[in-house]
Amino acid sequence: MDFGSINPVLLIASLMVASTPILLAAIGELVVERSGVLNLGVEGMMIVGAVSGFIVTVETQSPALGFVAGALGATLLSLVFGVLTLVFLSNQVATGLGLTLFGLGISALMGQEYAQLRTPTSPRWEFFGLNELPVIGPILFNQHPVVYLSLLLVVGVWWFLKTTRSGMILRAVGENHDAAHSLGYSVLGTRFAAIAFGGACAGLGGAFLSLVIVPQWTDGMTAGRGWIALAIVVFASWRAWRVLLGAYLFGGISVLQLNLQAAGFAIPVELLSMSPYLITILVLVIISSGRGRTGGQAPASLGRSFHASG
Amino acid sequence: MTTPLLRIDGLTKAYPGVVANDDVSFSIGRGAVHALLGENGAGKSTLVKMVYGLVRPDSGAMTFEGKPFAPNNPQEARASGIAMVFQHFSLFEALDVAENVALGMENPPPMRALAARIREVSETYGLPLTPERLVGDLSAGERQRVEIIRCLLQDPQLLIMDEPTSVLTPQEVEILFETLRKLQSEGTSILYISHKLEEIRALCDSATILRLGKVVGSADPKTTSAGELAAMMVGQELKVPTARDHTLGDVALEIKDLSVASPGAFGTSLRNVSLSLRKGEVLGIGGVAGNGQDELLGALSGEIRAPAASILLEGDRIGQLGPVARRGLGLLAAPEERLGHAAAPGMSLIENGALSGWLRRDLVSRKLVDWKKARTFAEEIIETFDVRTPGPGVAARALSGGNLQKFVVGREILQKPDVFIVNQPTWGVDASAAAAIRQALLDLAAKGAAVLVISQDLDELMEISTSFAALNEGRLSPVRSAEGLTVEEIGLMMGGAHGMEVAHV
């Protein structure tokens, strides 16, 4: 069922790949914001993850180690943010922006000598031939392990926030940090953990970009994906499932518009290029505009510094 | 004499620049209701925070059930059998009742079992609650039930209650007291913090009085008069505000069939509110928080627009006018929330004065602020209303609640309003500052202004009002003369006990 030269099965399979970095970064940032911290450094953490993962993979020839290194590198950077905003009570917005600039700079420095290199490709899973099935084979059973991991994380985050006690405490800290403190919960501990998780996710997303999607290292290769991830978290009204929808919608339209460009449709290229941003934001705004129970409500303590008084 | 449940010995806690508690000692017996009495800033909250493990004392010791007791955090205090109902609720609006309860427990059962327990316990104590509802949708009284149920589910030996009745109707207070007496009969000790003397006399067996961080005495509240307790608490005889005799003038403000939707997701809409306010009159509007008070103030100040003909100022239709236009016509308002609504926390007193007074005090010329005049205006407020501050350049948030309240009320009064609307004029303000503010309102009325006071403090309304009405779920009761009105009648006007019943066992 081709229309023109576009094969919908391949389109879906490749949109899942293209969306994964954004999905990973967004689901991490969702947890961070649910704990009441606004970390605008997603872009910086992603690119540090991308360069760390790439360097380690080149040196060890092991993509698995590369992914671990990507996550660790970005976590380290996110903890810098944590110390500055939580301990020294610096402004979260300014610190987050600084983190992005710092990440872009240091990644360029670290990656200088790796620009022309290639890494070994990491294989996709094939599930004992299930990938040979028509239609669902390429979509469900022939993806990179990290794609599955990203989907697991969405389910995991949703489940964690909804049912576990730790998840409830995290939401409580994001909702009213003074009350959480007076009940004896560690506001700083919870937020540090959330920030580190957000960093690891962003780093993983960055590494996926430099190891699987592109796969090579170029300066500034995240190209604004971190910002899109941030926007998706807000427009998804801080809900895990909507983050998945938003990320896949964005990735899907990105892939589709490239295909449309290649197929030579008579739509100006500029319009096609901007379409993913426009449509994703439009759809998520429409979803979140309904005033449901807590629909569209930001965590009440989001972006506010906490200082235990008295 | 058995050993007391909790003994406090020489507890001291100092913060930079202030000693919050200085060598405080007292003890609470088993099954006793002990009152901790004092003005705002006397150190009551710091003291109970030390008992609850939120603050570590600098020196001194506590004994609980005969054993040394030094909780490092609230979890340890809860594990020992201490539970606390906070004054500013420690609740999470976007979470439901069951989740809020679970957050205050050490080992909560699974959610479904917990919901059943909440239903059961709330039934038993006559405090009905629906576990699935969002706390943000609950009234203040219902929110307090959540806090109390959270404590009761842990079978505490000592229940600390920090100013629990400030948000309840008289009938609800009575039912709360029934619940507390029942707990007492089951052997639970209660540490009851308040500055409301009559409540303490009705409920407590013993009282410790704090002033400026020190214990200034103890008393048996059943035999000590409210006046004596007040004198110990304040350290001086209280001046009771007095109204000067004056006659009422013509109608200044009239509200006709006013209905407006609440702008907030968790607010109460006003429904068919009508009243008329005469010059020289002080109309008190009572009611439990969250029954439309904020909306009424907003509709009158101009923050919420209403149909033009529903609000008449001296016969002119002003429902569609904004706050600045209404200020120009002589209708001024002081909202409830000091920090954030009435004053900008980060701005200086000069700036805060100018933000409200620029029009009527002529502080702006050719679009430029005349800072000299603005400073004079702020200094005038500070002097007239005895605002304790190092100077007018200090940020609003640096002032204590009482002082800032004097400032924001004084700021409007000095603009010589013809009609003055004020919401919660003395909330969280110590007794002497409250008396000063009330006196200022009476003086304003005596000069011929029409004053409308929205308050949840019934004693305050009884003290200064010439007439009274109550808000209940956005509806206003008929206005009655305040003379001869009893607390019971007021309670019924406020809607009685909202779905509460007396404890069943």
Side-chain angles (χ1 to χ4, degrees):
Chain A
M1 51 182 264
D2 281 17
F3 54 92
S5 54
I6 300 169
N7 178 340
V9 173
L10 286 183
L11 183 77
I12 294 176
S14 58
L15 87 82
M16 288 173 71
V17 175
S19 310
T20 297
I22 294 171
L23 178 60
L24 280 165
I27 201 73
E29 179 68 10
L30 178 129
V31 172
V32 177
E33 294 194 11
R34 272 298 187 89
S35 80
V37 176
L38 182 63
N39 185 352
L40 293 182
V42 181
E43 180 85 4
M45 300 189 297
M46 276 183 94
I47 196 133
V48 166
V51 76
S52 320
F54 191 82
I55 292 173
V56 169
T57 308
V58 167
E59 301 296 338
T60 64
Q61 296 294 307
S62 158
L65 276 180
F67 279 109
V68 173
L72 280 181
T75 307
L76 214 61
L77 191 66
S78 73
L79 288 179
V80 172
F81 174 84
V83 170
L84 287 174
T85 54
L86 300 182
V87 181
F88 296 107
L89 301 180
S90 70
N91 179 295
Q92 291 180 3
V93 171
T95 313
L97 291 173
L99 200 71
T100 288
L101 296 175
F102 176 72
L104 289 169
I106 195 159
S107 63
L109 183 69
M110 287 163 71
Q112 255 174 357
E113 316 205 327
Y114 294 86
Q116 302 304 321
L117 301 178
R118 293 194 67 85
T119 58
T121 49
S122 49
R124 296 165 164 215
W125 282 354
E126 295 187 332
F127 292 100
F128 319 109
L130 281 178
N131 58 311
E132 301 292 339
L133 289 173
V135 186
I136 59 165
I139 296 175
L140 289 183
F141 302 112
N142 192 17
Q143 296 283 7
H144 190 275
V146 173
V147 175
Y148 299 113
L149 176 65
S150 70
L151 292 171
L152 264 179
L153 276 172
V154 173
V155 181
V157 163
W158 169 78
W159 178 82
F160 170 80
L161 290 174
K162 187 179 165 68
T163 59
T164 69
R165 180 159 172 84
S166 311
M168 192 166 72
I169 293 171
L170 185 130
R171 281 186 288 142
V173 165
E175 191 57 37
N176 183 346
H177 51 214
D178 295 314
H181 172 73
S182 64
L183 288 176
Y185 297 111
S186 166
V187 175
L188 295 193
T190 306
R191 288 187 171 168
F192 260 117
I195 289 173
F197 176 78
C201 285
L204 211 55
F208 189 79
L209 194 64
S210 67
L211 296 180
V212 178
I213 296 186
V214 179
Q216 59 175 328
W217 167 251
T218 42
D219 281 2
M221 66 186 301
T222 45
R225 285 181 176 81
W227 297 112
I228 285 295
L230 270 166
I232 285 177
V233 173
V234 175
F235 291 118
S237 6
W238 295 270
R239 308 236 185 122
W241 293 111
R242 291 188 185 172
V243 163
L244 177 67
L245 172 77
Y248 273 23
L249 192 67
F250 181 80
I253 299 168
S254 305
V255 173
L256 181 67
Q257 64 96 2
L258 283 178
N259 278 321
L260 289 175
Q261 282 189 33
F265 269 74
I267 305 171
V269 175
E270 293 79 3
L271 264 183
L272 284 174
S273 306
M274 74 165 93
S275 59
Y277 302 90
L278 270 180
I279 295 174
T280 306
I281 288 180
L282 211 68
V283 168
L284 289 171
V285 165
I286 291 167
I287 293 177
S288 58
S289 60
R291 289 222 317 208
R293 291 230 311 168
T294 46
Q297 295 275 337
S301 288
L302 183 61
R304 284 167 50 209
S305 293
F306 173 73
H307 178 65
S309 62
Chain B
M1 180 97 194
T2 50
T3 51
L5 180 70
L6 175 73
R7 254 178 82 90
I8 291 174
D9 248 330
L11 277 192
T12 298
K13 176 74 192 176
Y15 290 109
V18 56
V19 181
N21 282 139
D22 188 359
D23 196 21
V24 173
S25 308
F26 64 92
S27 57
I28 303 169
R30 279 172 204 277
V33 182
H34 190 98
L36 195 55
L37 188 62
E39 292 214 86
N40 292 295
K44 295 169 299 185
S45 292
T46 307
L47 185 65
V48 293
K49 278 180 182 167
M50 289 195 275
V51 177
Y52 197 59
L54 273 169
V55 174
R56 303 283 303 271
D58 296 336
S59 64
M62 289 180 277
T63 351
F64 191 71
E65 299 190 287
K67 291 189 282 284
F69 177 66
N72 289 309
N73 52 46
Q75 281 90 343
E76 283 182 37
R78 285 201 290 267
S80 312
I82 294 178
M84 178 157 166
V85 173
F86 291 87
Q87 177 185 12
H88 307 289
F89 304 136
S90 57
L91 296 177
F92 308 94
E93 294 199 344
L95 271 55
D96 67 32
V97 170
E99 287 175 322
N100 269 285
V101 169
L103 280 164
M105 298 177 72
E106 268 337 283
N107 296 300
M111 274 303 169
R112 203 167 298 165
L114 181 63
R117 284 276 288 145
I118 292 173
R119 280 217 173 80
E120 181 194 321
V121 174
S122 65
E123 273 298 304
T124 314
Y125 286 93
L127 310 163
L129 274 177
T130 314
E132 294 80 21
R133 284 186 71 192
L134 279 191
V135 165
D137 293 329
L138 301 184
S139 73
E142 288 173 313
R143 287 178 196 210
Q144 187 179 50
R145 283 180 224 172
V146 179
E147 289 248 352
I148 294 174
I149 296 293
R150 175 153 86 185
C151 293
L152 295 185
L153 280 176
Q154 305 175 65
D155 294 320
Q157 310 215 33
L158 174 65
L159 178 63
I160 304 173
M161 304 204 82
D162 194 352
E163 307 257 356
T165 58
S166 49
V167 294
L168 304 181
T169 66
Q171 278 81 358
E172 286 173 327
V173 170
E174 205 35 62
I175 288 165
L176 172 70
F177 282 10
E178 282 304 316
T179 307
L180 295 182
R181 288 195 189 105
K182 173 174 154 36
L183 281 172
Q184 184 188 11
S185 70
E186 290 170 353
T188 310
S189 303
I190 296 164
L191 179 58
Y192 190 92
I193 301 169
S194 183
H195 59 254
K196 293 189 181 166
L197 305 167
E198 289 305 334
E199 278 177 9
I200 284 174
R201 299 192 61 223
L203 185 72
C204 302
D205 311 314
S206 54
T208 299
I209 297 131
L210 282 181
R211 188 167 74 231
L212 300 175
K214 289 196 177 86
V215 175
V216 291
S218 54
D220 179 351
K222 305 259 194 239
T223 57
T224 317
S225 77
E228 288 171 79
L229 288 174
M232 285 167 90
M233 181 168 97
V234 183
Q236 65 195 37
E237 286 295 314
L238 257 189
K239 261 190 275 171
V240 179
T242 46
R244 272 183 264 151
D245 277 342
H246 59 276
T247 46
L248 299 187
D250 303 334
V251 171
L253 179 75
E254 197 165 8
I255 304 178
K256 281 185 185 164
D257 212 15
L258 170 71
S259 298
V260 292
S262 172
F266 294 128
T268 310
S269 301
L270 293 180
R271 291 175 221 168
N272 310 97
V273 171
S274 298
L275 62 85
S276 70
L277 184 62
R278 295 165 66 185
K279 288 175 183 163
E281 180 179 1
V282 179
L283 172 59
I285 297 199
V288 175
N291 273 300
Q293 285 92 339
D294 294 345
E295 287 75 12
L296 181 61
L297 182 112
L300 289 176
S301 73
E303 286 171 65
I304 308 173
R305 302 296 156 88
S310 59
I311 303 177
L312 305 175
L313 182 69
E314 312 257 357
D316 295 332
R317 296 145 61 126
I318 61 161
Q320 279 292 316
L321 299 183
V324 175
R326 293 191 197 187
R327 276 174 189 282
L329 294 172
L331 185 152
L332 271 56
E336 164 186 25
E337 200 190 343
R338 288 185 281 272
L339 282 176
H341 197 171
M347 294 171 84
S348 71
L349 295 182
I350 301 177
E351 288 166 320
N352 271 302
L355 279 172
S356 154
W358 63 275
L359 183 65
R360 289 180 76 80
R361 296 289 300 230
D362 212 12
L363 304 179
V364 173
S365 58
R366 275 179 267 122
K367 306 266 178 204
L368 296 178
V369 181
D370 185 338
W371 288 115
K372 218 174 187 173
K373 272 187 179 170
R375 172 179 282 272
T376 317
F377 179 46
E379 281 165 351
E380 192 185 331
I381 302 167
I382 290 169
E383 196 181 315
T384 317
F385 289 89
D386 189 27
V387 180
R388 311 273 164 84
T389 165
V394 168
R397 73 153 64 84
L399 266 66
S400 74
N403 278 310
L404 186 57
Q405 187 69 31
K406 284 195 267 187
F407 184 85
V408 296
V409 172
R411 175 180 73 181
E412 307 302 328
I413 289 180
L414 283 188
Q415 294 176 47
K416 301 202 169 55
D418 301 319
V419 179
F420 184 44
I421 320 287
V422 61
N423 189 5
Q424 295 276 61
T426 61
W427 187 82
V429 171
D430 61 63
S432 37
I437 291 173
R438 288 172 198 156
Q439 186 64 57
L441 293 174
L442 289 175
D443 292 346
L444 186 67
K447 282 182 206 144
V451 180
L452 189 142
V453 182
I454 307 170
S455 177
Q456 285 144 49
D457 186 341
L458 291 181
D459 299 334
E460 168 170 279
L461 292 179
M462 304 274 271
E463 199 171 292
I464 61 176
S465 307
T466 43
S467 47
F468 180 87
L471 270 172
N472 182 20
E473 288 172 6
R475 293 193 176 83
L476 192 73
S477 74
V479 180
R480 291 195 38 181
S481 166
E483 222 163 305
L485 205 57
T486 64
V487 171
E488 283 68 35
E489 286 172 290
I490 293 179
L492 290 176
M493 289 165 86
M494 287 162 70
H498 290 259
M500 291 171 83
E501 39 201 315
V502 179
H504 290 312
V505 239

